[in-house]
Amino acid sequence: MAELKALETWAEDLLRKMQPVQRRRLLVDLARRLRTMNAQRMRAQNDPDGGAWVPRKPPGDNLRSKRQKLRQQARQGQPMFAKLRQQKHLKARAEGGAAVVTFAGRAERIARVHHFGETDAVNPGGPRYEYPARPLLGITDEDGRALRDMLMDHLQT
């Protein structure tokens, strides 16, 4: 992470010298690349530190119908947050001289609950459940190197 801070300080001076349109375009490209890396990590069910996420809770015996139980069992093998990692919900943009990746709308609340491991209602008005922390967004050392390489490529052209 210290390497990322050094990159940020170094790049900040270069970004100030660029035209506003060029700077914004570069920051949006960096944010899109970061969004892609985070979405790939979410698909692999890993947190930014490289550890695996806590798996889904197995279906309980309190399901009302056989159909519900079959549906729950089918979900067990599927990756979590398939819709949350779509571009529709995971936004990449340039904001205030920075490349930003955030969740939009209702997806932001859902992502916050899972990212920090908060307690939330399973269904509106339904039972509450304490979700385990599953970090969704972050920057790894590999991500920092990829962003640095992308910045260097941009500056060479």
PDB file of all heavy atoms in Angstrom, residues 43-68:
ATOM      1  N   ARG A  43     -16.271 -12.223  -8.494  1.00  0.00           N
ATOM      2  CA  ARG A  43     -16.660 -13.466  -9.160  1.00  0.00           C
ATOM      3  C   ARG A  43     -15.885 -14.656  -8.587  1.00  0.00           C
ATOM      4  O   ARG A  43     -16.430 -15.739  -8.424  1.00  0.00           O
ATOM      5  CB  ARG A  43     -16.433 -13.376 -10.657  1.00  0.00           C
ATOM      6  CG  ARG A  43     -16.565 -14.735 -11.338  1.00  0.00           C
ATOM      7  CD  ARG A  43     -16.557 -14.617 -12.798  1.00  0.00           C
ATOM      8  NE  ARG A  43     -17.976 -14.479 -13.126  1.00  0.00           N
ATOM      9  CZ  ARG A  43     -18.446 -14.168 -14.296  1.00  0.00           C
ATOM     10  NH1 ARG A  43     -17.637 -13.948 -15.288  1.00  0.00           N
ATOM     11  NH2 ARG A  43     -19.728 -14.088 -14.504  1.00  0.00           N
ATOM     12  N   ALA A  44     -14.620 -14.431  -8.261  1.00  0.00           N
ATOM     13  CA  ALA A  44     -13.788 -15.493  -7.694  1.00  0.00           C
ATOM     14  C   ALA A  44     -14.075 -15.715  -6.208  1.00  0.00           C
ATOM     15  O   ALA A  44     -13.495 -16.620  -5.603  1.00  0.00           O
ATOM     16  CB  ALA A  44     -12.310 -15.163  -7.890  1.00  0.00           C
ATOM     17  N   GLN A  45     -14.948 -14.882  -5.620  1.00  0.00           N
ATOM     18  CA  GLN A  45     -15.338 -14.995  -4.211  1.00  0.00           C
ATOM     19  C   GLN A  45     -14.146 -14.776  -3.271  1.00  0.00           C
ATOM     20  O   GLN A  45     -13.999 -15.456  -2.261  1.00  0.00           O
ATOM     21  CB  GLN A  45     -15.961 -16.365  -3.931  1.00  0.00           C
ATOM     22  CG  GLN A  45     -17.064 -16.770  -4.886  1.00  0.00           C
ATOM     23  CD  GLN A  45     -18.405 -16.203  -4.496  1.00  0.00           C
ATOM     24  OE1 GLN A  45     -18.844 -16.395  -3.392  1.00  0.00           O
ATOM     25  NE2 GLN A  45     -19.033 -15.507  -5.412  1.00  0.00           N
ATOM     26  N   ASN A  46     -13.289 -13.801  -3.617  1.00  0.00           N
ATOM     27  CA  ASN A  46     -12.124 -13.475  -2.801  1.00  0.00           C
ATOM     28  C   ASN A  46     -12.201 -12.030  -2.330  1.00  0.00           C
ATOM     29  O   ASN A  46     -12.724 -11.173  -3.031  1.00  0.00           O
ATOM     30  CB  ASN A  46     -10.831 -13.660  -3.601  1.00  0.00           C
ATOM     31  CG  ASN A  46     -10.575 -15.106  -3.922  1.00  0.00           C
ATOM     32  OD1 ASN A  46     -10.900 -15.994  -3.152  1.00  0.00           O
ATOM     33  ND2 ASN A  46      -9.992 -15.348  -5.076  1.00  0.00           N
ATOM     34  N   ASP A  47     -11.609 -11.769  -1.154  1.00  0.00           N
ATOM     35  CA  ASP A  47     -11.518 -10.394  -0.690  1.00  0.00           C
ATOM     36  C   ASP A  47     -10.205  -9.791  -1.199  1.00  0.00           C
ATOM     37  O   ASP A  47      -9.349 -10.507  -1.710  1.00  0.00           O
ATOM     38  CB  ASP A  47     -11.662 -10.309   0.829  1.00  0.00           C
ATOM     39  CG  ASP A  47     -10.606 -11.085   1.590  1.00  0.00           C
ATOM     40  OD1 ASP A  47      -9.546 -11.366   1.020  1.00  0.00           O
ATOM     41  OD2 ASP A  47     -10.848 -11.400   2.759  1.00  0.00           O
ATOM     42  N   PRO A  48     -10.021  -8.485  -1.084  1.00  0.00           N
ATOM     43  CA  PRO A  48      -8.810  -7.854  -1.611  1.00  0.00           C
ATOM     44  C   PRO A  48      -7.515  -8.376  -0.982  1.00  0.00           C
ATOM     45  O   PRO A  48      -6.456  -8.265  -1.588  1.00  0.00           O
ATOM     46  CB  PRO A  48      -9.005  -6.371  -1.292  1.00  0.00           C
ATOM     47  CG  PRO A  48     -10.478  -6.196  -1.225  1.00  0.00           C
ATOM     48  CD  PRO A  48     -11.001  -7.484  -0.656  1.00  0.00           C
ATOM     49  N   ASP A  49      -7.590  -8.945   0.205  1.00  0.00           N
ATOM     50  CA  ASP A  49      -6.399  -9.504   0.847  1.00  0.00           C
ATOM     51  C   ASP A  49      -6.034 -10.875   0.298  1.00  0.00           C
ATOM     52  O   ASP A  49      -5.014 -11.433   0.676  1.00  0.00           O
ATOM     53  CB  ASP A  49      -6.605  -9.599   2.359  1.00  0.00           C
ATOM     54  CG  ASP A  49      -6.768  -8.229   3.000  1.00  0.00           C
ATOM     55  OD1 ASP A  49      -6.273  -7.251   2.410  1.00  0.00           O
ATOM     56  OD2 ASP A  49      -7.390  -8.145   4.068  1.00  0.00           O
ATOM     57  N   GLY A  50      -6.883 -11.447  -0.551  1.00  0.00           N
ATOM     58  CA  GLY A  50      -6.596 -12.741  -1.156  1.00  0.00           C
ATOM     59  C   GLY A  50      -7.289 -13.910  -0.476  1.00  0.00           C
ATOM     60  O   GLY A  50      -7.231 -15.037  -0.962  1.00  0.00           O
ATOM     61  N   GLY A  51      -7.940 -13.685   0.641  1.00  0.00           N
ATOM     62  CA  GLY A  51      -8.644 -14.752   1.348  1.00  0.00           C
ATOM     63  C   GLY A  51      -9.998 -15.041   0.724  1.00  0.00           C
ATOM     64  O   GLY A  51     -10.591 -14.187   0.061  1.00  0.00           O
ATOM     65  N   ALA A  52     -10.475 -16.247   0.923  1.00  0.00           N
ATOM     66  CA  ALA A  52     -11.785 -16.629   0.395  1.00  0.00           C
ATOM     67  C   ALA A  52     -12.886 -16.080   1.304  1.00  0.00           C
ATOM     68  O   ALA A  52     -12.707 -15.960   2.516  1.00  0.00           O
ATOM     69  CB  ALA A  52     -11.892 -18.141   0.310  1.00  0.00           C
ATOM     70  N   TRP A  53     -14.019 -15.757   0.705  1.00  0.00           N
ATOM     71  CA  TRP A  53     -15.170 -15.295   1.473  1.00  0.00           C
ATOM     72  C   TRP A  53     -15.764 -16.436   2.279  1.00  0.00           C
ATOM     73  O   TRP A  53     -15.635 -17.604   1.917  1.00  0.00           O
ATOM     74  CB  TRP A  53     -16.258 -14.775   0.552  1.00  0.00           C
ATOM     75  CG  TRP A  53     -15.993 -13.446  -0.044  1.00  0.00           C
ATOM     76  CD1 TRP A  53     -15.050 -12.529   0.318  1.00  0.00           C
ATOM     77  CD2 TRP A  53     -16.698 -12.874  -1.142  1.00  0.00           C
ATOM     78  NE1 TRP A  53     -15.128 -11.425  -0.478  1.00  0.00           N
ATOM     79  CE2 TRP A  53     -16.133 -11.605  -1.383  1.00  0.00           C
ATOM     80  CE3 TRP A  53     -17.749 -13.298  -1.930  1.00  0.00           C
ATOM     81  CZ2 TRP A  53     -16.590 -10.776  -2.379  1.00  0.00           C
ATOM     82  CZ3 TRP A  53     -18.195 -12.455  -2.927  1.00  0.00           C
ATOM     83  CH2 TRP A  53     -17.621 -11.212  -3.146  1.00  0.00           C
ATOM     84  N   VAL A  54     -16.465 -16.073   3.335  1.00  0.00           N
ATOM     85  CA  VAL A  54     -17.228 -17.050   4.105  1.00  0.00           C
ATOM     86  C   VAL A  54     -18.331 -17.575   3.183  1.00  0.00           C
ATOM     87  O   VAL A  54     -19.047 -16.784   2.560  1.00  0.00           O
ATOM     88  CB  VAL A  54     -17.848 -16.389   5.357  1.00  0.00           C
ATOM     89  CG1 VAL A  54     -18.712 -17.375   6.122  1.00  0.00           C
ATOM     90  CG2 VAL A  54     -16.767 -15.799   6.231  1.00  0.00           C
ATOM     91  N   PRO A  55     -18.477 -18.905   3.046  1.00  0.00           N
ATOM     92  CA  PRO A  55     -19.508 -19.419   2.128  1.00  0.00           C
ATOM     93  C   PRO A  55     -20.915 -19.098   2.610  1.00  0.00           C
ATOM     94  O   PRO A  55     -21.134 -18.744   3.765  1.00  0.00           O
ATOM     95  CB  PRO A  55     -19.269 -20.930   2.111  1.00  0.00           C
ATOM     96  CG  PRO A  55     -18.384 -21.226   3.251  1.00  0.00           C
ATOM     97  CD  PRO A  55     -17.716 -19.958   3.677  1.00  0.00           C
ATOM     98  N   ARG A  56     -21.854 -19.258   1.687  1.00  0.00           N
ATOM     99  CA  ARG A  56     -23.261 -19.032   2.031  1.00  0.00           C
ATOM    100  C   ARG A  56     -23.704 -19.978   3.137  1.00  0.00           C
ATOM    101  O   ARG A  56     -23.223 -21.094   3.257  1.00  0.00           O
ATOM    102  CB  ARG A  56     -24.144 -19.329   0.817  1.00  0.00           C
ATOM    103  CG  ARG A  56     -24.258 -18.228  -0.146  1.00  0.00           C
ATOM    104  CD  ARG A  56     -25.351 -18.581  -1.148  1.00  0.00           C
ATOM    105  NE  ARG A  56     -25.606 -17.447  -2.002  1.00  0.00           N
ATOM    106  CZ  ARG A  56     -25.573 -17.485  -3.314  1.00  0.00           C
ATOM    107  NH1 ARG A  56     -25.330 -18.601  -3.931  1.00  0.00           N
ATOM    108  NH2 ARG A  56     -25.797 -16.402  -4.012  1.00  0.00           N
ATOM    109  N   LYS A  57     -24.664 -19.510   3.891  1.00  0.00           N
ATOM    110  CA  LYS A  57     -25.269 -20.338   4.928  1.00  0.00           C
ATOM    111  C   LYS A  57     -26.079 -21.439   4.241  1.00  0.00           C
ATOM    112  O   LYS A  57     -26.841 -21.166   3.305  1.00  0.00           O
ATOM    113  CB  LYS A  57     -26.178 -19.462   5.783  1.00  0.00           C
ATOM    114  CG  LYS A  57     -26.875 -20.167   6.899  1.00  0.00           C
ATOM    115  CD  LYS A  57     -27.715 -19.158   7.661  1.00  0.00           C
ATOM    116  CE  LYS A  57     -28.859 -19.841   8.318  1.00  0.00           C
ATOM    117  NZ  LYS A  57     -29.782 -18.907   8.933  1.00  0.00           N
ATOM    118  N   PRO A  58     -25.931 -22.694   4.667  1.00  0.00           N
ATOM    119  CA  PRO A  58     -26.708 -23.764   4.023  1.00  0.00           C
ATOM    120  C   PRO A  58     -28.198 -23.606   4.304  1.00  0.00           C
ATOM    121  O   PRO A  58     -28.587 -23.023   5.317  1.00  0.00           O
ATOM    122  CB  PRO A  58     -26.171 -25.046   4.651  1.00  0.00           C
ATOM    123  CG  PRO A  58     -25.494 -24.624   5.897  1.00  0.00           C
ATOM    124  CD  PRO A  58     -25.076 -23.190   5.723  1.00  0.00           C
ATOM    125  N   PRO A  59     -29.046 -24.097   3.394  1.00  0.00           N
ATOM    126  CA  PRO A  59     -30.490 -23.965   3.622  1.00  0.00           C
ATOM    127  C   PRO A  59     -30.915 -24.683   4.899  1.00  0.00           C
ATOM    128  O   PRO A  59     -30.434 -25.764   5.209  1.00  0.00           O
ATOM    129  CB  PRO A  59     -31.117 -24.591   2.385  1.00  0.00           C
ATOM    130  CG  PRO A  59     -30.056 -25.384   1.749  1.00  0.00           C
ATOM    131  CD  PRO A  59     -28.738 -24.832   2.193  1.00  0.00           C
ATOM    132  N   GLY A  60     -31.820 -24.040   5.623  1.00  0.00           N
ATOM    133  CA  GLY A  60     -32.292 -24.617   6.885  1.00  0.00           C
ATOM    134  C   GLY A  60     -33.499 -25.507   6.687  1.00  0.00           C
ATOM    135  O   GLY A  60     -34.006 -25.694   5.578  1.00  0.00           O
ATOM    136  N   ASP A  61     -33.958 -26.088   7.777  1.00  0.00           N
ATOM    137  CA  ASP A  61     -35.131 -26.974   7.741  1.00  0.00           C
ATOM    138  C   ASP A  61     -36.430 -26.192   7.807  1.00  0.00           C
ATOM    139  O   ASP A  61     -37.498 -26.773   7.704  1.00  0.00           O
ATOM    140  CB  ASP A  61     -35.079 -27.958   8.918  1.00  0.00           C
ATOM    141  CG  ASP A  61     -33.930 -28.939   8.757  1.00  0.00           C
ATOM    142  OD1 ASP A  61     -33.538 -29.201   7.596  1.00  0.00           O
ATOM    143  OD2 ASP A  61     -33.416 -29.415   9.773  1.00  0.00           O
ATOM    144  N   ASN A  62     -36.347 -24.886   7.989  1.00  0.00           N
ATOM    145  CA  ASN A  62     -37.564 -24.097   8.152  1.00  0.00           C
ATOM    146  C   ASN A  62     -38.172 -23.644   6.821  1.00  0.00           C
ATOM    147  O   ASN A  62     -39.083 -22.831   6.811  1.00  0.00           O
ATOM    148  CB  ASN A  62     -37.300 -22.886   9.041  1.00  0.00           C
ATOM    149  CG  ASN A  62     -36.242 -21.976   8.451  1.00  0.00           C
ATOM    150  OD1 ASN A  62     -35.597 -22.316   7.471  1.00  0.00           O
ATOM    151  ND2 ASN A  62     -36.057 -20.828   9.087  1.00  0.00           N
ATOM    152  N   LEU A  63     -37.673 -24.158   5.707  1.00  0.00           N
ATOM    153  CA  LEU A  63     -38.261 -23.800   4.426  1.00  0.00           C
ATOM    154  C   LEU A  63     -39.642 -24.432   4.313  1.00  0.00           C
ATOM    155  O   LEU A  63     -39.852 -25.578   4.684  1.00  0.00           O
ATOM    156  CB  LEU A  63     -37.363 -24.252   3.271  1.00  0.00           C
ATOM    157  CG  LEU A  63     -35.993 -23.584   3.229  1.00  0.00           C
ATOM    158  CD1 LEU A  63     -35.151 -24.198   2.127  1.00  0.00           C
ATOM    159  CD2 LEU A  63     -36.128 -22.103   3.006  1.00  0.00           C
ATOM    160  N   ARG A  64     -40.582 -23.672   3.777  1.00  0.00           N
ATOM    161  CA  ARG A  64     -41.973 -24.115   3.766  1.00  0.00           C
ATOM    162  C   ARG A  64     -42.270 -25.190   2.740  1.00  0.00           C
ATOM    163  O   ARG A  64     -43.090 -26.056   2.966  1.00  0.00           O
ATOM    164  CB  ARG A  64     -42.882 -22.926   3.502  1.00  0.00           C
ATOM    165  CG  ARG A  64     -42.978 -22.031   4.695  1.00  0.00           C
ATOM    166  CD  ARG A  64     -43.937 -20.930   4.425  1.00  0.00           C
ATOM    167  NE  ARG A  64     -43.239 -19.712   4.847  1.00  0.00           N
ATOM    168  CZ  ARG A  64     -43.559 -18.526   4.507  1.00  0.00           C
ATOM    169  NH1 ARG A  64     -44.569 -18.325   3.702  1.00  0.00           N
ATOM    170  NH2 ARG A  64     -42.892 -17.499   4.940  1.00  0.00           N
ATOM    171  N   SER A  65     -41.625 -25.122   1.617  1.00  0.00           N
ATOM    172  CA  SER A  65     -41.995 -26.074   0.576  1.00  0.00           C
ATOM    173  C   SER A  65     -40.760 -26.752  -0.005  1.00  0.00           C
ATOM    174  O   SER A  65     -39.636 -26.302   0.151  1.00  0.00           O
ATOM    175  CB  SER A  65     -42.753 -25.363  -0.548  1.00  0.00           C
ATOM    176  OG  SER A  65     -41.861 -24.536  -1.266  1.00  0.00           O
ATOM    177  N   LYS A  66     -41.021 -27.837  -0.657  1.00  0.00           N
ATOM    178  CA  LYS A  66     -39.961 -28.581  -1.322  1.00  0.00           C
ATOM    179  C   LYS A  66     -39.337 -27.719  -2.422  1.00  0.00           C
ATOM    180  O   LYS A  66     -38.137 -27.752  -2.651  1.00  0.00           O
ATOM    181  CB  LYS A  66     -40.557 -29.867  -1.907  1.00  0.00           C
ATOM    182  CG  LYS A  66     -39.550 -30.861  -2.391  1.00  0.00           C
ATOM    183  CD  LYS A  66     -40.273 -32.121  -2.826  1.00  0.00           C
ATOM    184  CE  LYS A  66     -39.286 -33.224  -3.112  1.00  0.00           C
ATOM    185  NZ  LYS A  66     -39.952 -34.451  -3.529  1.00  0.00           N
ATOM    186  N   ARG A  67     -40.173 -26.923  -3.079  1.00  0.00           N
ATOM    187  CA  ARG A  67     -39.713 -26.051  -4.151  1.00  0.00           C
ATOM    188  C   ARG A  67     -38.717 -25.018  -3.625  1.00  0.00           C
ATOM    189  O   ARG A  67     -37.694 -24.747  -4.257  1.00  0.00           O
ATOM    190  CB  ARG A  67     -40.911 -25.364  -4.787  1.00  0.00           C
ATOM    191  CG  ARG A  67     -40.576 -24.535  -5.982  1.00  0.00           C
ATOM    192  CD  ARG A  67     -41.844 -23.993  -6.587  1.00  0.00           C
ATOM    193  NE  ARG A  67     -41.543 -23.182  -7.737  1.00  0.00           N
ATOM    194  CZ  ARG A  67     -42.387 -22.391  -8.318  1.00  0.00           C
ATOM    195  NH1 ARG A  67     -43.624 -22.299  -7.878  1.00  0.00           N
ATOM    196  NH2 ARG A  67     -42.040 -21.694  -9.361  1.00  0.00           N
ATOM    197  N   GLN A  68     -39.001 -24.436  -2.457  1.00  0.00           N
ATOM    198  CA  GLN A  68     -38.083 -23.463  -1.859  1.00  0.00           C
ATOM    199  C   GLN A  68     -36.745 -24.125  -1.530  1.00  0.00           C
ATOM    200  O   GLN A  68     -35.689 -23.541  -1.727  1.00  0.00           O
ATOM    201  CB  GLN A  68     -38.679 -22.866  -0.594  1.00  0.00           C
ATOM    202  CG  GLN A  68     -39.721 -21.805  -0.838  1.00  0.00           C
ATOM    203  CD  GLN A  68     -40.274 -21.283   0.469  1.00  0.00           C
ATOM    204  OE1 GLN A  68     -40.561 -22.053   1.382  1.00  0.00           O
ATOM    205  NE2 GLN A  68     -40.420 -19.967   0.552  1.00  0.00           N
TER     206      GLN A  68
END
